[in-house]
Amino acid sequence: MPEGRARVAGEWDRAQLIAWNDEFVPAAHTIPSGAVGWADERIAGERIAFWETPDGAPVSMAGLSPVAAGQTRLAPVYTPAHLRGRGYGGAATVAARRAALARGATDLVLFADPANPTSSGLYRRIGYRPVTDFFPYRFSPAGPPTT
């Protein structure tokens, strides 16, 4: 574990969460979902773990979905590019996992890009194992073409 500590993101972290969400979405090739509402929902539900340095600067985050039927998803996990490679993302992920288990989760789901050896290797080192592959589909709101 790197030096520092985990903490739950609070209202004072709102701008940081919004900024990091705006950076995460294109980096992870995910669909944007209103960063302001996203941040407010996670703050209210205490569902974002920050890893911060000893001087209190947040350097990584890991989020959780609500626990449903014993299952939760860890997402997003994000460390700004200039702070990567120092163990912050792994530390934030472990903190979020502990929080999920404390909330009653028995199954934790984490989606990762198997083509990214850095994140895939990290998740294996901290105890995750691959279960299956998924293929993303994107559908047009216009529907299928007509003839």
Side-chain angles (χ1 to χ4, degrees):
M1 296 290 267
E3 285 190 56
R5 69 180 186 98
R7 69 172 175 82
V8 175
E11 190 62 40
W12 55 91
D13 297 307
R14 187 172 187 262
Q16 183 71 72
L17 286 175
I18 292 167
W20 279 358
N21 183 70
D22 288 345
E23 293 172 21
F24 173 80
V25 167
H29 308 289
T30 62
I31 299 169
S33 63
V36 173
W38 174 89
D40 290 343
E41 179 184 311
R42 273 145 188 88
I43 289 169
E46 298 182 339
R47 294 189 289 116
I48 290 283
F50 270 154
W51 188 262
E52 64 182 15
T53 57
D55 65 354
V59 290
S60 188
M61 70 175 180
L64 297 168
S65 68
V67 177
Q71 185 179 67
T72 191
R73 177 178 176 205
L74 282 102
V77 176
Y78 181 72
T79 304
H82 70 283
L83 296 169
R84 294 179 188 158
R86 302 174 194 186
Y88 299 145
T93 302
V94 169
R97 178 176 64 198
R98 288 179 180 153
L101 295 171
R103 291 176 181 217
T106 54
D107 297 302
L108 284 77
V109 177
L110 175 69
F111 288 90
D113 180 358
N116 182 333
T118 302
S119 61
S120 295
L122 164 69
Y123 298 138
R124 283 189 184 103
R125 281 193 307 278
I126 61 175
Y128 290 88
R129 62 182 175 79
V131 175
T132 191
D133 287 332
F134 285 84
F135 187 82
Y137 289 92
R138 292 207 176 152
F139 295 94
S140 167
T146 58
T147 55

